Amino acid sequence: MVKKKVLFLVNKDNVIYNFRRELAFELLDKDFDVVISSPYGKKIDFMTERGCRFVDLKIDRRGTSMLNDLKLIRAYYLLLKQEKPDIVLAYTSKCSIYGGMVCRWLRIPYIINNAGLIETSNYNALVGLVLNILYRVGFKGASCMMYQNGRERDYIQPKLGNVHYRDIPGSGVNLTVFPFTSYPANDDVVRFNYVARIVDFKGINELLACAERIKAQYPNTEFVLYGDYDDDSYREKVTRLESKGIVKYGGIQLDMKPCIAAAHCVIHPSYYEGITNVILEHGAMGRPAIASDIPGCREAIDESKSGFTFPLKDVDALVEKVERFINLPYEEKVAMGKAAREKMEREFDRNIVTNIYIEEINRILAKNE
């Protein structure tokens, strides 16, 4: 019997490794042929060693070059013609829009998980119009849309007519891989993590401004930054602040668990998200979060119980919430961490997401037989 083939379209190795590997391995266990298309990164080796096949495909993730995007569409066309997958699973904007577009042309079933709405209001009217057209063209033929938050669903779904969809709790979090971990023994020094790409829309400007103000008032704090530089213009500023003892740069970590265990809280001032895995992973290990009050962050926090939210881009409000957390009694910080873990267990277990995907894949393949 010929195996059914599933093709994952992702824009970076950590997307498949950090957030989709449980699904990929579940499909392998169910005797699917699993193929991953992505730019190569070290985490791909982990996937191929366990039975996945890899196709290296370059993607200009943040670029706006029409020529590069046309090259990507052509590359996806050639890839799908060669691989002839039974179903395609697409993640993140360019993979979802352009991969979905090609799947639609070739009549290949596909599931979209856009994972973070590109707000058309952030651009001029022409760019906004183009984005809306791309959403329609790329997503309208989907066999299923997976929405990580209600804001994204309510924005995109009306453009797609009667396309089938499912609501999912983000990518979920593996509660075994990220186990509950005892809180730091004391809060003599309060440590805050920032875990994200270093780029403006992840809130790095707000984080650095907050760190400068807080360190001036509370020298017994630490701000540790983890992530790669998506925008090299920040290197000089981060290095300068590090030389002053205001922040520490922790680089790119293959295993974030020791970094999470050492922290008291995570700060996530992002501008847009699907459901942010940063908060989910910290919450699973029993760490509270302070995050932008946006779709994709607010769902992962029970306000004042497992963390705090603040208005988007409002540095004053962020500083106020960080001060509030610093001044909590140690026992209340510990209780917030426990509440964060309990919320992850109730609402964000990754098995929920994996099971929904398996249900939809089986439904779609049965329908097309």
Side-chain angles (χ1 to χ4, degrees), residues 35-308:
V35 183
I36 300 164
S37 171
S38 166
Y40 175 75
K42 290 185 288 186
K43 295 178 181 179
I44 290 295
D45 297 339
F46 181 90
M47 305 300 294
T48 56
E49 287 165 3
R50 284 152 182 80
C52 299
R53 193 155 54 79
F54 172 64
V55 178
D56 192 356
L57 195 153
K58 300 294 186 290
I59 298 175
D60 183 10
R61 292 186 296 127
R62 295 184 57 230
T64 57
S65 165
M66 184 176 296
L67 178 60
N68 286 341
D69 286 358
L70 288 172
K71 288 179 179 178
L72 179 60
I73 292 170
R74 180 177 184 274
Y76 277 149
Y77 180 83
L78 295 174
L79 172 67
L80 268 65
K81 288 288 283 186
Q82 178 178 328
E83 290 292 339
K84 297 180 172 60
D86 294 283
I87 190 165
V88 171
L89 310 183
Y91 299 89
T92 69
S93 293
K94 286 197 176 184
C95 301
S96 296
I97 291 170
Y98 298 135
M101 193 182 297
V102 175
C103 286
R104 190 177 176 189
W105 292 340
L106 297 177
R107 300 182 182 276
I108 296 171
Y110 63 105
I111 297 176
I112 293 293
N113 187 331
N114 191 58
L117 181 66
I118 300 175
E119 294 284 357
T120 56
S121 59
N122 291 340
Y123 301 91
N124 63 47
L126 178 59
V127 174
L129 176 64
V130 170
L131 282 171
N132 280 324
I133 292 170
L134 288 175
Y135 281 140
R136 288 187 177 92
V137 174
F139 298 169
K140 198 170 180 61
S143 301
C144 180
M145 293 291 300
M146 299 284 188
Y147 291 114
Q148 296 198 14
N149 64 65
R151 168 72 179 93
E152 185 164 335
R153 180 196 63 228
D154 293 345
Y155 184 85
I156 292 178
Q157 191 63 26
K159 306 177 191 306
L160 308 183
N162 60 354
V163 170
H164 176 68
Y165 73 88
R166 298 287 296 269
D167 292 320
I168 57 174
S171 299
V173 60
N174 188 317
L175 297 171
T176 302
V177 172
F178 292 91
F180 180 78
T181 305
S182 297
Y183 208 68
N186 60 66
D187 59 355
D188 295 341
V189 175
V190 181
R191 185 176 194 178
F192 296 95
N193 282 352
Y194 167 93
V195 185
R197 289 172 284 158
I198 297 179
V199 64
D200 57 355
F201 61 81
K202 287 296 184 181
I204 187 64
N205 293 315
E206 291 75 13
L207 185 283
L208 296 177
C210 173
E212 287 190 87
R213 289 170 57 175
I214 291 293
K215 285 291 286 188
Q217 290 269 97
Y218 302 90
N220 65 323
T221 55
E222 289 183 354
F223 293 84
V224 188
L225 282 55
Y226 298 100
D228 54 351
Y229 284 92
D230 256 26
D231 185 341
D232 282 331
S233 68
Y234 285 100
R235 288 184 186 273
E236 186 276 330
K237 184 172 185 179
V238 170
T239 300
R240 176 168 51 81
L241 292 177
E242 190 171 26
S243 70
K244 294 180 178 180
I246 292 170
V247 300
K248 295 181 179 180
Y249 180 56
I252 303 167
Q253 300 294 323
L254 289 177
D255 182 7
M256 276 299 300
K257 292 191 289 295
C259 309
I260 295 172
H264 294 79
C265 182
V266 63
I267 299 176
H268 196 63
S270 180
Y271 295 1
Y272 64 85
E273 296 287 342
I275 291 285
T276 174
N277 295 283
V278 172
I279 296 176
L280 302 191
E281 291 168 3
H282 280 75
M285 293 186 67
R287 301 300 180 266
I290 299 172
S292 305
D293 185 12
I294 60 169
C297 288
R298 68 170 71 106
E299 294 89 345
I301 295 173
D302 286 337
E303 184 67 31
S304 300
K305 186 175 180 182
S306 69
F308 301 111

